Amino acid sequence: MDITRQLDEVEQKFEQLTDRMAASEVVNDPELYRKTAKAHRDLEEIVSVYREYKQVAANLDQARQMLSEKDPEIKAMAEEEIASLEPRAASLMEQLKLLLLPKDPNDDRDVLLEIRAGAGGDEASLFAAEIFRMYARYAEAQRWKVEVTSMSESGAGGAKEILALVNGDKVYSKLKYESGVHRVQRVPVTEQQGRIHTSTVTVAVLPEADDIDIKIDPKDVRIDTFCSSGPGGQSVNTTYSAVRLTHLPTGLVVSCQDEKSQIKNRAKAERVLRARLYELELQKQQAAIGADRRSQVGTGDRSEKIRTYNFKENRVTDHRIGLTLHQLDRILEGELDELITACATYYNAQKLRQQAENSDGGNGASARN
């Protein structure tokens, strides 16, 4: 289908949804209104860009017509106008092609963020805590909510493992390329000789599953309660409020002790368990599709070293996309927009190339993440 025709159909659907949102049967039905408003919101960006593109294209046509004028000043103005409008039109069209790509069905989901210290002992645990703080700062800027479900602290004041639920608008779409091994190069505070050490932290971003996605049979879950643990002192909870869920068919174990209420801890643990079971299902689907397609898409598997943080040079390098930024101090404060946007642009470009190859080859398969 011609891309202009596709965009016209999207714009027409957007206008229909705009009218529908004002209809009494939609306004009086909260669930129907929510679904309609979401469908309208999903099309809003592409329609906005398309309308800008049409305006730029119309101005470009008008400027080209002015080239036939005999007045040299008018011709010069037209040439100047064309020189500025042509790149803008091309940029908008590329943006529209990206927006028309099949959407990742998980993009709107909340996520379970798992951060674990890897190689490097205490230094790795210290950096794991810093990485979590970085994402927490970014989440705050995005107006997301971060709920820690469990944290295992290290003796050095870092964290061996942190699990957190992140809720907000399009969380997975922005964090999905953060999964992988994050490497840090710096002089640890415990180093007496000033030598640079290399440590690693593993980050996993799992889309949170809805009840309708993953059904958990209560008979398949063993529930244990225990006293919350902590660094010691009067703050340690001595009641049996902490909850451990064991999913018997898979052997998955989830613990939550963040809340003082056993009921709240159980609810959080169930959300974490559901997210992990959902990830297992996704892995099965990806395995069924085959290794060839996975390599084409590039999923940022957690076993891959994706990024290096070099403190001496104030440098962050993303190895997947070949991007180096000398802004480590700002990035650790949660200023991740440039990195996240660059990753999304890179993988979307891969999808566009794959789509073009599929169209040329006639195999009909579309690359999707």
Side-chain angles (χ1 to χ4, degrees):
M1 183 186 292
D2 177 74
I3 188 169
T4 303
R5 183 178 166 190
Q6 279 185 274
L7 291 164
D8 284 337
E9 290 181 358
V10 170
E11 185 178 30
Q12 183 180 10
K13 184 177 180 180
F14 178 79
E15 291 171 349
Q16 290 172 348
L17 287 168
T18 302
D19 293 338
R20 184 163 170 73
M21 285 174 65
S24 58
E25 67 270 18
V26 176
V27 173
N28 295 327
D29 186 335
E31 181 63 19
L32 181 57
Y33 183 84
R34 186 188 65 80
K35 290 180 180 179
T36 306
K38 183 183 182 303
H40 183 271
R41 190 168 58 252
D42 288 343
L43 299 180
E44 194 167 14
E45 182 181 6
I46 190 169
V47 170
S48 175
V49 175
Y50 182 43
R51 287 173 176 172
E52 182 182 354
Y53 171 79
K54 288 195 294 184
Q55 184 60 57
V56 170
N59 293 340
L60 190 54
D61 287 341
Q62 188 176 11
R64 285 169 176 159
Q65 291 173 13
M66 290 168 61
L67 289 175
S68 60
E69 295 289 336
K70 294 181 179 180
D71 190 325
E73 288 188 7
I74 293 179
K75 287 184 68 175
M77 287 174 56
E79 289 171 354
E80 186 178 340
E81 187 82 354
I82 291 169
S84 66
L85 290 174
E86 281 183 337
R88 181 58 183 160
S91 174
L92 288 169
M93 180 50 68
E94 285 303 307
Q95 191 175 348
L96 288 167
K97 288 178 182 177
L98 289 174
L99 290 169
L100 282 173
L101 284 171
K103 186 180 178 183
D104 186 333
N106 290 320
D107 274 352
D108 291 330
R109 292 183 184 270
D110 298 330
V111 308
L112 169 64
L113 178 65
E114 296 183 353
I115 299 173
R116 292 185 171 88
D122 286 342
E123 170 64 7
S125 71
L126 288 169
F127 191 60
E130 290 179 68
I131 286 288
F132 174 70
R133 178 179 177 273
M134 176 183 76
Y135 288 125
R137 287 290 182 90
Y138 178 70
E140 184 180 355
Q142 300 297 312
R143 300 180 183 275
W144 296 341
K145 181 181 179 183
V146 178
E147 298 177 85
V148 175
T149 62
S150 69
M151 177 185 296
S152 175
E153 298 179 351
S154 70
K160 297 177 183 177
E161 177 184 89
I162 304 173
L163 273 66
L165 293 164
V166 186
N167 310 306
D169 184 39
K170 299 184 183 298
V171 180
Y172 186 74
S173 70
K174 294 188 177 181
L175 293 184
K176 62 183 175 182
Y177 299 120
E178 294 300 298
S179 291
V181 174
H182 295 240
R183 183 175 68 173
V184 58
Q185 295 175 327
R186 65 180 175 185
V187 179
V189 293
T190 56
E191 171 59 51
Q192 302 297 322
Q193 305 298 323
R195 292 173 297 185
I196 294 175
H197 288 221
T198 298
S199 305
T200 60
V201 168
T202 298
V203 174
V205 178
L206 315 181
E208 188 177 351
D210 296 328
D211 291 341
I212 57 174
D213 297 317
I214 297 294
K215 292 291 185 183
I216 301 176
D217 191 330
K219 297 193 298 293
D220 291 338
V221 180
R222 186 178 72 236
I223 303 172
D224 300 307
T225 58
F226 56 98
C227 294
S228 297
S229 61
Q234 296 180 349
S235 61
V236 177
N237 187 356
T238 57
T239 63
Y240 284 80
S241 60
V243 174
R244 182 187 298 112
L245 303 182
T246 303
H247 189 246
L248 301 175
T250 62
L252 286 174
V253 179
V254 174
S255 299
C256 185
Q257 58 180 12
D258 186 56
E259 302 285 348
K260 293 182 179 179
S261 163
Q262 186 183 117
I263 295 174
K264 289 182 178 179
N265 279 328
R266 178 173 173 174
K268 280 188 177 181
E270 287 175 347
R271 289 171 64 188
V272 173
L273 178 60
R274 192 173 289 112
R276 287 183 171 171
L277 289 172
Y278 184 65
E279 185 201 20
L280 286 177
E281 289 301 313
L282 290 178
Q283 288 175 349
K284 289 178 185 177
Q285 292 173 16
Q286 289 173 353
I289 292 170
D292 181 57
R293 182 182 176 279
R294 291 200 303 275
S295 66
Q296 293 168 358
V297 175
T299 59
D301 184 83
R302 69 177 70 182
S303 64
E304 300 171 359
K305 180 187 69 179
I306 66 166
R307 199 172 290 157
T308 295
Y309 304 76
N310 186 295
F311 276 69
K312 183 178 180 180
E313 300 174 11
N314 194 39
R315 167 174 61 83
V316 175
T317 298
D318 194 295
H319 304 287
R320 300 164 297 176
I321 63 178
L323 175 67
T324 294
L325 300 173
H326 291 277
Q327 303 171 8
L328 174 59
D329 51 344
R330 292 170 51 191
I331 287 168
L332 288 178
E333 288 299 318
E335 297 183 28
L336 292 170
D337 283 323
E338 188 170 356
L339 270 173
I340 287 174
T341 300
C343 286
T345 300
Y346 173 83
Y347 286 110
N348 282 334
Q350 276 195 338
K351 292 178 187 178
L352 278 176
R353 284 195 298 271
Q354 188 62 41
Q355 188 179 65
E357 289 172 8
N358 289 339
S359 298
D360 292 342
N363 59 22
S366 296
R368 296 177 185 171
N369 193 356

